[in-house]
Amino acid sequence: MLVLQALERPMSSKELAKATNLSERTVRHALKVLKDSGMIREIYLLEDARKRLYALNPGLKLEHIHDGIKISAL
């Protein structure tokens, strides 16, 4: 959930690793799981197709609750 919480704006996997203090490998795995579940989307950069940013899907809303995060559709 740390990766999901950190996605306040589109970020690269390196930026997410730094923001969450997790290894890049752990972040990449979390991004794959979140992407496969439809919670986030992958954005390819036109200037360099090798680079990608990750962002919450437009219909997803994160609500911070006492015990963690509640995820709901808008």
Side-chain angles (χ1 to χ4, degrees), residues 7-74:
L7 274 175
E8 297 173 358
R9 62 176 178 80
M11 299 174 83
S12 69
S13 59
K14 283 187 178 195
E15 290 173 313
L16 283 165
K18 188 173 182 178
T20 59
N21 205 24
L22 296 170
S23 72
E24 286 187 47
R25 183 177 179 172
T26 299
V27 168
R28 283 192 307 270
H29 176 71
L31 290 170
K32 181 186 179 332
V33 170
L34 291 168
K35 188 176 132 193
D36 290 348
S37 70
M39 298 176 89
I40 65 169
R41 60 193 167 101
E42 193 172 32
I43 303 166
Y44 293 89
L45 301 178
L46 294 177
E47 57 272 3
D48 187 350
R50 295 172 297 174
K51 294 184 181 177
R52 296 176 179 95
L53 297 179
Y54 299 89
L56 293 176
N57 268 331
L60 202 62
K61 179 182 171 187
L62 297 182
E63 298 174 20
H64 295 275
I65 58 174
H66 198 54
D67 294 337
I69 294 181
K70 177 182 175 184
I71 301 167
S72 60
L74 291 175

